[in-house]
Short mmCIF file of all heavy atoms in Angstrom, two decimals:
data_model
loop_
_atom_site.label_atom_id
_atom_site.label_comp_id
_atom_site.label_asym_id
_atom_site.label_seq_id
_atom_site.Cartn_x
_atom_site.Cartn_y
_atom_site.Cartn_z
N CYS A 180 123.52 -122.81 -71.86
CA CYS A 180 122.02 -122.82 -72.16
C CYS A 180 121.72 -124.00 -72.98
O CYS A 180 122.36 -124.25 -74.02
CB CYS A 180 121.67 -121.50 -72.95
SG CYS A 180 119.92 -121.32 -73.36
N PRO A 181 120.65 -124.72 -72.67
CA PRO A 181 120.26 -125.92 -73.43
C PRO A 181 120.00 -125.59 -74.95
O PRO A 181 119.58 -124.49 -75.22
CB PRO A 181 119.03 -126.40 -72.68
CG PRO A 181 119.11 -125.87 -71.35
CD PRO A 181 119.76 -124.49 -71.53
N ASP A 182 120.17 -126.59 -75.80
CA ASP A 182 119.87 -126.41 -77.17
C ASP A 182 118.40 -126.69 -77.42
O ASP A 182 117.67 -127.07 -76.54
CB ASP A 182 120.85 -127.19 -78.08
CG ASP A 182 120.72 -128.71 -77.85
OD1 ASP A 182 119.77 -129.15 -77.20
OD2 ASP A 182 121.59 -129.44 -78.24
N THR A 183 117.96 -126.56 -78.72
CA THR A 183 116.56 -126.70 -79.05
C THR A 183 116.05 -128.13 -78.61
O THR A 183 114.98 -128.11 -77.96
CB THR A 183 116.36 -126.51 -80.49
OG1 THR A 183 116.78 -125.16 -80.80
CG2 THR A 183 114.84 -126.72 -80.91
N PRO A 184 116.63 -129.23 -78.94
CA PRO A 184 116.08 -130.53 -78.52
C PRO A 184 115.96 -130.65 -77.02
O PRO A 184 114.93 -131.20 -76.51
CB PRO A 184 117.09 -131.56 -79.04
CG PRO A 184 117.68 -130.89 -80.26
CD PRO A 184 117.84 -129.40 -79.85
N GLU A 185 116.91 -130.12 -76.23
CA GLU A 185 116.84 -130.22 -74.80
C GLU A 185 115.74 -129.25 -74.19
O GLU A 185 115.00 -129.63 -73.38
CB GLU A 185 118.18 -129.84 -74.19
CG GLU A 185 119.29 -130.85 -74.44
CD GLU A 185 120.68 -130.43 -74.07
OE1 GLU A 185 120.96 -129.14 -74.07
OE2 GLU A 185 121.52 -131.25 -73.78
N LEU A 186 115.58 -128.05 -74.80
CA LEU A 186 114.63 -127.16 -74.39
C LEU A 186 113.24 -127.78 -74.69
O LEU A 186 112.27 -127.67 -73.83
CB LEU A 186 114.72 -125.84 -75.25
CG LEU A 186 115.85 -124.92 -74.74
CD1 LEU A 186 116.15 -123.85 -75.86
CD2 LEU A 186 115.57 -124.24 -73.41
N MET A 187 113.10 -128.39 -75.77
CA MET A 187 111.76 -129.07 -76.11
C MET A 187 111.45 -130.18 -75.18
O MET A 187 110.31 -130.28 -74.64
CB MET A 187 111.75 -129.41 -77.62
CG MET A 187 111.80 -128.30 -78.57
SD MET A 187 111.89 -128.85 -80.32
CE MET A 187 110.25 -129.59 -80.49
N ALA A 188 112.46 -131.05 -74.87
CA ALA A 188 112.19 -132.22 -74.09
C ALA A 188 111.83 -131.84 -72.63
O ALA A 188 110.86 -132.34 -72.09
CB ALA A 188 113.39 -133.11 -74.12
N VAL A 189 112.61 -130.94 -72.06
CA VAL A 189 112.33 -130.61 -70.66
C VAL A 189 111.08 -129.78 -70.53
O VAL A 189 110.28 -129.92 -69.58
CB VAL A 189 113.56 -129.82 -70.12
CG1 VAL A 189 113.26 -129.25 -68.72
CG2 VAL A 189 114.77 -130.81 -70.02
N THR A 190 110.77 -128.93 -71.54
CA THR A 190 109.53 -128.22 -71.49
C THR A 190 108.35 -129.10 -71.57
O THR A 190 107.31 -128.87 -70.88
CB THR A 190 109.50 -127.13 -72.61
OG1 THR A 190 110.55 -126.22 -72.41
CG2 THR A 190 108.14 -126.39 -72.58
N LYS A 191 108.40 -130.08 -72.39
CA LYS A 191 107.33 -131.07 -72.46
C LYS A 191 107.12 -131.73 -71.03
O LYS A 191 106.00 -131.97 -70.57
CB LYS A 191 107.55 -132.08 -73.51
CG LYS A 191 106.36 -133.13 -73.59
CD LYS A 191 106.60 -134.14 -74.69
CE LYS A 191 105.45 -135.11 -74.77
NZ LYS A 191 105.69 -136.19 -75.72
N TYR A 192 108.23 -132.16 -70.43
CA TYR A 192 108.18 -132.82 -69.10
C TYR A 192 107.57 -131.94 -68.13
O TYR A 192 106.60 -132.24 -67.37
CB TYR A 192 109.62 -133.17 -68.71
CG TYR A 192 109.77 -133.58 -67.29
CD1 TYR A 192 109.04 -134.69 -66.80
CD2 TYR A 192 110.63 -132.87 -66.45
CE1 TYR A 192 109.20 -135.06 -65.47
CE2 TYR A 192 110.77 -133.25 -65.15
CZ TYR A 192 110.05 -134.41 -64.63
OH TYR A 192 110.19 -134.68 -63.33
N TRP A 193 108.00 -130.65 -67.97
CA TRP A 193 107.45 -129.72 -67.05
C TRP A 193 106.08 -129.28 -67.28
O TRP A 193 105.28 -129.04 -66.38
CB TRP A 193 108.41 -128.41 -66.96
CG TRP A 193 109.63 -128.65 -66.15
CD1 TRP A 193 109.81 -129.61 -65.19
CD2 TRP A 193 110.80 -127.94 -66.16
NE1 TRP A 193 111.08 -129.49 -64.64
CE2 TRP A 193 111.67 -128.49 -65.16
CE3 TRP A 193 111.20 -126.83 -66.90
CZ2 TRP A 193 113.02 -127.99 -64.93
CZ3 TRP A 193 112.48 -126.28 -66.69
CH2 TRP A 193 113.35 -126.85 -65.71
N TYR A 194 105.67 -129.26 -68.58
CA TYR A 194 104.28 -129.02 -68.84
C TYR A 194 103.40 -130.18 -68.41
O TYR A 194 102.35 -129.88 -67.82
CB TYR A 194 104.08 -128.71 -70.36
CG TYR A 194 102.63 -128.54 -70.72
CD1 TYR A 194 102.05 -127.25 -70.52
CD2 TYR A 194 101.83 -129.54 -71.29
CE1 TYR A 194 100.70 -127.09 -70.75
CE2 TYR A 194 100.48 -129.31 -71.48
CZ TYR A 194 99.92 -128.03 -71.23
OH TYR A 194 98.54 -127.84 -71.57
N GLY A 195 103.85 -131.33 -68.64
CA GLY A 195 103.13 -132.46 -68.17
C GLY A 195 102.98 -132.57 -66.63
O GLY A 195 101.89 -132.96 -66.13
N GLN A 196 104.01 -132.14 -65.96
CA GLN A 196 104.07 -132.23 -64.50
C GLN A 196 103.33 -131.10 -63.85
O GLN A 196 102.66 -131.22 -62.82
CB GLN A 196 105.48 -132.32 -63.97
CG GLN A 196 106.17 -133.56 -64.39
CD GLN A 196 105.69 -134.85 -63.61
OE1 GLN A 196 105.06 -135.68 -64.22
NE2 GLN A 196 106.05 -134.90 -62.42
N TYR A 197 103.53 -129.80 -64.43
CA TYR A 197 103.21 -128.59 -63.72
C TYR A 197 102.38 -127.68 -64.58
O TYR A 197 102.04 -126.59 -64.11
CB TYR A 197 104.36 -127.90 -63.13
CG TYR A 197 105.30 -128.82 -62.41
CD1 TYR A 197 106.50 -129.29 -62.92
CD2 TYR A 197 105.00 -129.21 -61.11
CE1 TYR A 197 107.31 -130.09 -62.19
CE2 TYR A 197 105.79 -130.04 -60.33
CZ TYR A 197 106.99 -130.49 -60.89
OH TYR A 197 107.78 -131.35 -60.15
N ARG A 198 102.15 -128.01 -65.85
CA ARG A 198 101.44 -127.07 -66.81
C ARG A 198 102.30 -125.84 -66.99
O ARG A 198 101.73 -124.71 -67.25
CB ARG A 198 100.12 -126.79 -66.32
CG ARG A 198 99.11 -127.94 -66.44
CD ARG A 198 98.99 -128.38 -67.92
NE ARG A 198 98.06 -129.43 -68.14
CZ ARG A 198 98.38 -130.75 -68.21
NH1 ARG A 198 99.56 -131.16 -68.09
NH2 ARG A 198 97.42 -131.65 -68.45
N ALA A 199 103.65 -125.98 -66.98
CA ALA A 199 104.55 -124.79 -67.17
C ALA A 199 104.58 -124.46 -68.64
O ALA A 199 104.83 -125.32 -69.45
CB ALA A 199 105.90 -125.09 -66.59
N VAL A 200 104.45 -123.16 -69.01
CA VAL A 200 104.40 -122.69 -70.37
C VAL A 200 105.49 -121.60 -70.56
O VAL A 200 105.45 -120.67 -69.77
CB VAL A 200 102.95 -122.20 -70.77
CG1 VAL A 200 102.99 -121.62 -72.16
CG2 VAL A 200 101.93 -123.29 -70.64
N PRO A 201 106.33 -121.75 -71.58
CA PRO A 201 107.27 -120.62 -71.89
C PRO A 201 106.52 -119.36 -72.14
O PRO A 201 105.56 -119.34 -72.97
CB PRO A 201 108.06 -121.17 -73.01
CG PRO A 201 107.89 -122.61 -73.08
CD PRO A 201 106.50 -122.79 -72.49
N ALA A 202 106.97 -118.27 -71.59
CA ALA A 202 106.19 -117.05 -71.77
C ALA A 202 107.14 -115.83 -72.16
O ALA A 202 106.70 -114.97 -72.91
CB ALA A 202 105.58 -116.64 -70.39
N VAL A 203 108.35 -115.74 -71.70
CA VAL A 203 109.34 -114.70 -72.01
C VAL A 203 110.60 -115.16 -72.49
O VAL A 203 111.18 -116.12 -71.86
CB VAL A 203 109.45 -113.72 -70.80
CG1 VAL A 203 110.53 -112.70 -71.11
CG2 VAL A 203 108.18 -113.15 -70.32
N ILE A 204 111.12 -114.67 -73.58
CA ILE A 204 112.41 -115.06 -74.15
C ILE A 204 113.27 -113.80 -74.42
O ILE A 204 112.74 -112.92 -75.17
CB ILE A 204 112.35 -115.96 -75.43
CG1 ILE A 204 111.74 -117.25 -75.11
CG2 ILE A 204 113.67 -116.09 -76.06
CD1 ILE A 204 111.41 -118.05 -76.33
N THR A 205 114.40 -113.70 -73.80
CA THR A 205 115.35 -112.68 -74.06
C THR A 205 116.66 -113.32 -74.53
O THR A 205 116.70 -114.49 -74.73
CB THR A 205 115.59 -111.77 -72.91
OG1 THR A 205 116.52 -112.39 -71.99
CG2 THR A 205 114.28 -111.40 -72.14
N HIS A 206 117.78 -112.53 -74.68
CA HIS A 206 118.96 -113.22 -75.14
C HIS A 206 119.59 -114.12 -74.06
O HIS A 206 120.42 -114.89 -74.32
CB HIS A 206 119.93 -112.12 -75.62
CG HIS A 206 120.60 -111.35 -74.48
ND1 HIS A 206 120.09 -110.15 -74.10
CD2 HIS A 206 121.71 -111.49 -73.77
CE1 HIS A 206 120.82 -109.68 -73.13
NE2 HIS A 206 121.82 -110.45 -72.94
N ASP A 207 119.27 -113.83 -72.78
CA ASP A 207 119.83 -114.68 -71.74
C ASP A 207 118.87 -115.12 -70.64
O ASP A 207 119.23 -115.73 -69.65
CB ASP A 207 120.99 -113.98 -71.08
CG ASP A 207 120.62 -112.64 -70.40
OD1 ASP A 207 119.52 -112.22 -70.50
OD2 ASP A 207 121.55 -112.02 -69.85
N VAL A 208 117.59 -114.81 -70.86
CA VAL A 208 116.57 -115.10 -69.82
C VAL A 208 115.48 -115.90 -70.41
O VAL A 208 115.02 -115.62 -71.61
CB VAL A 208 116.06 -113.85 -69.12
CG1 VAL A 208 114.77 -114.20 -68.30
CG2 VAL A 208 117.06 -113.20 -68.29
N LEU A 209 114.88 -116.88 -69.74
CA LEU A 209 113.75 -117.63 -70.18
C LEU A 209 112.84 -117.68 -68.98
O LEU A 209 113.27 -118.11 -67.87
CB LEU A 209 114.14 -119.01 -70.67
CG LEU A 209 112.93 -120.02 -70.92
CD1 LEU A 209 112.07 -119.52 -72.04
CD2 LEU A 209 113.56 -121.37 -71.32
N GLU A 210 111.52 -117.28 -69.11
CA GLU A 210 110.57 -117.39 -68.01
C GLU A 210 109.44 -118.22 -68.45
O GLU A 210 108.97 -118.17 -69.58
CB GLU A 210 110.12 -115.92 -67.63
CG GLU A 210 111.23 -115.13 -67.00
CD GLU A 210 110.79 -113.78 -66.59
OE1 GLU A 210 110.42 -112.99 -67.51
OE2 GLU A 210 110.73 -113.47 -65.38
N TYR A 211 108.99 -119.02 -67.52
CA TYR A 211 107.77 -119.89 -67.68
C TYR A 211 106.70 -119.33 -66.73
O TYR A 211 106.93 -118.75 -65.73
CB TYR A 211 108.05 -121.32 -67.30
CG TYR A 211 108.93 -122.10 -68.21
CD1 TYR A 211 110.30 -121.91 -68.21
CD2 TYR A 211 108.38 -123.07 -69.02
CE1 TYR A 211 111.09 -122.63 -69.11
CE2 TYR A 211 109.18 -123.81 -69.91
CZ TYR A 211 110.61 -123.64 -69.89
OH TYR A 211 111.36 -124.33 -70.71
N GLU A 212 105.46 -119.57 -67.13
CA GLU A 212 104.33 -119.31 -66.28
C GLU A 212 103.63 -120.61 -65.89
O GLU A 212 103.45 -121.46 -66.77
CB GLU A 212 103.34 -118.35 -66.92
CG GLU A 212 102.22 -117.88 -66.03
CD GLU A 212 101.33 -116.82 -66.62
OE1 GLU A 212 100.86 -117.08 -67.75
OE2 GLU A 212 101.11 -115.77 -66.00
N VAL A 213 103.20 -120.78 -64.67
CA VAL A 213 102.44 -121.88 -64.18
C VAL A 213 101.18 -121.41 -63.63
O VAL A 213 101.04 -120.31 -63.10
CB VAL A 213 103.29 -122.74 -63.16
CG1 VAL A 213 104.53 -123.47 -63.83
CG2 VAL A 213 103.78 -121.87 -61.99
N PRO A 214 100.12 -122.24 -63.67
CA PRO A 214 98.86 -121.87 -63.16
C PRO A 214 98.84 -121.72 -61.66
O PRO A 214 97.97 -120.95 -61.13
CB PRO A 214 97.87 -122.91 -63.65
CG PRO A 214 98.72 -124.10 -63.81
CD PRO A 214 100.10 -123.58 -64.32
N ALA A 215 99.69 -122.40 -60.87
CA ALA A 215 99.66 -122.32 -59.44
C ALA A 215 101.02 -122.71 -58.89
O ALA A 215 101.85 -123.45 -59.62
CB ALA A 215 98.62 -123.18 -58.94
N PRO A 216 101.44 -122.21 -57.73
CA PRO A 216 102.67 -122.68 -57.11
C PRO A 216 102.66 -124.15 -56.90
O PRO A 216 101.56 -124.84 -56.75
CB PRO A 216 102.70 -121.89 -55.80
CG PRO A 216 101.82 -120.71 -55.99
CD PRO A 216 100.72 -121.24 -56.92
N VAL A 217 103.87 -124.75 -56.84
CA VAL A 217 103.94 -126.17 -56.61
C VAL A 217 103.80 -126.50 -55.08
O VAL A 217 103.99 -125.58 -54.24
CB VAL A 217 105.31 -126.80 -57.15
CG1 VAL A 217 105.43 -126.53 -58.62
CG2 VAL A 217 106.49 -126.15 -56.41
N SER A 218 103.52 -127.67 -54.74
CA SER A 218 103.39 -128.13 -53.36
C SER A 218 104.76 -128.24 -52.76
O SER A 218 105.81 -128.38 -53.42
CB SER A 218 102.71 -129.43 -53.24
OG SER A 218 103.49 -130.48 -53.81
N THR A 219 104.77 -128.21 -51.40
CA THR A 219 106.04 -128.33 -50.73
C THR A 219 106.73 -129.78 -51.00
O THR A 219 107.94 -129.88 -51.09
CB THR A 219 105.78 -128.26 -49.22
OG1 THR A 219 105.21 -126.97 -48.93
CG2 THR A 219 107.11 -128.35 -48.38
#
Side-chain angles (χ1 to χ4, degrees):
C180 183
D182 61 16
T183 298
E185 292 170 333
L186 286 164
M187 292 177 69
V189 172
T190 299
K191 182 181 181 183
Y192 167 62
W193 280 339
Y194 179 77
Q196 294 289 108
Y197 309 103
R198 291 297 184 263
V200 175
V203 176
I204 292 175
T205 82
H206 73 270
D207 59 358
V208 169
L209 171 60
E210 291 180 295
Y211 288 75
E212 187 175 49
V213 290
V217 301
S218 67
T219 303

